[in-house]
Amino acid sequence: MKAKCRIYVLIITLIGCFGLAHSQPAGKIAKAIAFRTLKFKPSVGDSIDYEYGFLKVPENRKVTGTHEIELAVLRLKAKKPTTRSPILFLSGGPGQSGISYIQEEYFQTLIFNLQEDHDIILLDQRGSGRSKPGLEFPLPDADNRNIFLDEKRAIKLHNEAAAVGLTDFKKRGIDITGYNTIQNAEDLNDLRIALKAEKLNLLAYSYGTHLALALAREHASSIDQMIFIGTSGPNDIHHLPFNYDKQLIRISALAAQDSVINRQVPDMLALLKSQLKKLAAKPVVIAVKDQRFKKVVQVPISKFGLQLILRLDVGDSNDFIYFPAMLYGMQQGDYRILQRYVERRYNQFNGGYGSGISAMRQASGATPERYAQIRSQGKTAILGNSMNTPDIYGGWQNIDLGETFRSNFKCDLPTLFVSGTLDSNTPVSNVEALLPWFSQARQLNVENAGHEDMLPNAEVQKEIIRFFRKTEPIRTSISLPRPRFVSFF
């Protein structure tokens, strides 16, 4: 199991929203970026030059007299003269640093190829990464060992953290109502103007697709082409519990065909249900190392705790390949694999900091119909409503962006949608619901790919390059090998 990035949260990390953007106040022109040239040593090859600077934007364009905040921007200039539009990478989260992706070897392979004839722009969106201010806030020391016991406790802790955050932001002069996808999208248009670019190409991943949609709604003329990898539509930010039932059924079927694990676990779904029933009757206590205080603590895990832990990783093939072995171990009274998952999430939730970035997801919200659907499905879904709980009841105040924000719109921009068939965070069905609204859309499904398998894949990268270079033909499907499950022994 491998953590993909460091994100400060208290209760729930949410993967991978768009909305009606507001125009720049009259007479305001996006400021130029004072870039400085620095050196970067990639994983392979010689050092390269890149430009780094900050773009100043209004914190809240809806408030008169709002102050400015700074967005960190990295630019790789095209290797040869070009008339092609720059490619702007929009990272996920919300809260991931787009600039930090340059440290990943697979990402270097992609962008250095695209850099042959495009400027490449990496951005730390407002409130994240190197942008200022950051939205982390210190939390008072508390005994949160019981965070995996029940839903009500998770909601309570989330609301308490939000209250601490609101107090901290008030002291620091931060207007949390300015940190949402509407404002984020206007930042992108300001960035385009500051770069003196007529149009931008968008390479968007996970939450970045919500952001790209926000820009496309209000500033379609500023976009050349878009690629969405792991797509969330305007009303998809809160996930449907039954999508995770479908994912668990798929994983169980794949495990049943895998000779490494199928003798131990012929029916993963049945085993999971039996373990959830067992934990509902009597939680187990897992010893984990508290990284913050450098001590071992005893953490009780109930049915809700296992539901939450599985939900956080069920869309990632790097993690769900351990699920059958973990459940088999639990059946035998051996909790070593579960302990690794619990320790990772316990320390993530108890790092001593909360983050206002979670307000972005609560602001995105959902339609009344979708909220009703989420609550109804959560009553019978295998993993309950463990992931949506804090966002639905979240403690951030007066931040919802409204129903217009969550409505679909017609889009005539050339768009490539890339989806993984084992991605339950942003399932293929999200794209299928959007396709009727896009007149120039292409769909690329990646068989056996989870949420984090698509962008690193060499074949997917070839299609990204073809699309931005407007080269035919474009494939409609790619098949990855089936996931290989890990044996308990």
Side-chain angles (χ1 to χ4, degrees):
M1 297 180 293
K2 156 174 102 165
K4 299 299 184 297
C5 61
R6 185 182 183 188
I7 305 175
Y8 292 101
V9 297
L10 175 68
I11 301 300
I12 304 294
T13 301
L14 295 158
I15 303 295
C17 56
F18 82 94
L20 181 64
H22 295 272
S23 301
Q24 184 89 324
K28 296 287 186 180
I29 299 175
K31 295 179 172 62
I33 303 171
F35 281 117
R36 54 186 176 131
T37 301
L38 300 171
K39 292 283 187 182
F40 171 71
K41 181 66 173 68
S43 301
V44 178
D46 298 329
S47 296
I48 62 171
D49 290 337
Y50 70 92
E51 296 177 326
Y52 179 74
F54 289 88
L55 172 67
K56 292 184 178 182
V57 297
E59 182 176 52
N60 190 341
R61 294 172 177 86
K62 294 180 70 176
V63 175
T64 302
T66 187
H67 62 263
E68 291 183 322
I69 61 176
E70 295 184 335
L71 309 182
V73 182
L74 184 152
R75 177 167 67 182
L76 295 167
K77 295 288 287 182
K79 296 176 184 177
K80 60 186 180 184
T82 182
T83 58
R84 295 183 185 272
S85 301
I87 295 173
L88 171 61
F89 175 65
L90 300 178
S91 56
Q96 289 184 356
S97 164
I99 290 175
S100 292
Y101 272 75
I102 199 172
Q103 299 169 3
E104 300 287 344
E105 185 173 352
Y106 75 83
F107 194 71
Q108 294 170 16
T109 299
L110 173 62
I111 63 172
F112 293 162
N113 195 318
L114 291 169
Q115 190 191 359
E116 291 293 333
D117 48 7
H118 295 85
D119 286 0
I120 306 297
I121 312 297
L122 307 183
L123 170 70
D124 282 356
Q125 298 161 26
R126 59 172 52 213
S128 66
R130 298 157 185 81
S131 293
K132 305 171 186 177
L135 296 185
E136 292 78 35
F137 54 88
L139 292 169
D141 291 343
D143 184 358
N144 290 328
R145 287 176 294 177
N146 294 325
I147 59 176
F148 297 105
L149 271 180
D150 60 66
E151 180 182 49
K152 291 181 180 178
R153 194 179 305 268
I155 295 168
K156 181 175 182 290
L157 290 173
H158 183 85
N159 290 346
E160 288 173 352
V164 172
L166 287 168
T167 300
D168 180 78
F169 294 153
K170 185 176 181 179
K171 290 179 181 177
R172 292 162 58 191
I174 294 173
D175 180 3
I176 192 61
T177 63
Y179 293 84
N180 56 54
T181 305
I182 286 176
Q183 301 286 341
N184 238 352
E186 287 300 319
D187 292 345
L188 304 185
N189 195 48
D190 281 0
L191 174 60
R192 177 190 64 81
I193 295 169
L195 294 172
K196 297 181 172 59
E198 181 181 353
K199 293 176 183 279
L200 294 171
N201 287 306
L202 303 181
L203 174 58
Y205 167 63
S206 195
Y207 166 79
T209 65
H210 290 278
L211 184 50
L213 284 166
L215 186 65
R217 179 195 287 275
E218 289 301 311
H219 298 287
S221 62
S222 70
I223 301 172
D224 190 351
Q225 299 181 101
M226 303 189 294
I227 297 180
F228 289 0
I229 300 174
T231 302
S232 286
N235 197 27
D236 294 333
I237 199 71
H238 299 322
H239 303 162
L240 295 176
F242 282 176
N243 281 339
Y244 297 98
D245 282 19
K246 295 174 184 177
Q247 176 77 345
L248 288 166
I249 291 169
R250 287 190 289 260
I251 294 171
S252 185
L254 289 167
Q257 300 170 40
D258 191 316
S259 60
V260 170
I261 195 66
N262 60 10
R263 290 185 181 180
Q264 299 168 356
V265 185
D267 188 340
M268 189 197 82
L269 203 59
L271 180 56
L272 169 58
K273 290 178 180 178
S274 72
Q275 292 307 301
L276 289 171
K277 184 177 180 180
K278 181 179 175 182
L279 291 175
K282 183 180 180 180
V284 298
V285 178
I286 305 293
V288 302
K289 184 175 181 180
D290 187 315
Q291 300 293 343
R292 184 181 176 202
F293 294 108
K294 310 299 182 187
K295 65 179 182 179
V296 174
V297 297
Q298 305 295 319
V299 178
I301 305 295
S302 68
K303 174 184 177 180
F304 170 77
L306 181 59
Q307 288 173 321
L308 174 58
I309 287 166
L310 293 177
R311 165 59 191 88
L312 290 169
D313 290 312
V314 72
D316 181 1
S317 65
N318 293 300
D319 286 299
F320 71 59
I321 57 174
Y322 293 89
F323 284 5
M326 179 181 73
L327 294 167
Y328 176 80
M330 292 171 64
Q331 184 185 45
Q332 307 304 313
D334 188 327
Y335 296 96
R336 284 176 294 174
I337 299 177
L338 176 63
Q339 187 270 342
R340 285 152 50 190
Y341 283 91
V342 173
E343 184 167 278
R344 181 173 72 173
R345 296 306 182 183
Y346 170 85
N347 283 294
Q348 185 177 18
F349 300 158
N350 289 279
Y353 287 88
S355 177
I357 287 291
S358 62
M360 285 194 175
R361 302 189 71 89
Q362 187 183 326
S364 300
T367 62
E369 293 78 13
R370 188 172 180 90
Y371 275 139
Q373 194 176 15
I374 287 170
R375 291 189 176 99
S376 175
Q377 292 184 9
K379 293 176 182 177
T380 58
I382 298 168
L383 300 185
N385 203 11
S386 53
M387 194 56 171
N388 289 299
T389 292
D391 271 356
I392 290 176
Y393 298 100
W396 303 105
Q397 301 169 9
N398 303 316
I399 59 174
D400 187 84
L401 294 174
E403 292 309 303
T404 301
F405 170 81
R406 292 180 272 273
S407 64
N408 282 316
F409 63 98
K410 289 197 174 293
C411 183
D412 298 323
L413 294 168
T415 306
L416 174 63
F417 292 101
V418 184
S419 301
T421 61
L422 293 179
D423 178 4
S424 51
N425 297 325
T426 53
V428 176
S429 57
N430 287 2
V431 172
E432 292 171 344
L434 283 175
L435 285 175
W437 298 87
F438 282 72
S439 63
Q440 296 192 61
R442 296 172 183 256
Q443 186 176 12
L444 172 61
N445 288 339
V446 187
E447 190 72 26
N448 296 320
H451 190 64
E452 299 181 2
D453 296 326
M454 293 171 282
L455 192 57
N457 181 262
E459 294 303 309
V460 172
Q461 290 192 6
K462 288 178 184 177
E463 298 310 307
I464 291 171
I465 293 165
R466 282 197 188 105
F467 187 82
F468 280 138
R469 290 181 179 155
K470 304 180 182 179
T471 303
E472 298 288 347
I474 301 293
R475 295 163 67 178
T476 58
S477 65
I478 291 172
S479 291
L480 304 189
R482 288 183 178 182
R484 301 178 64 180
F485 291 87
V486 176
S487 172
F488 180 78
F489 300 109

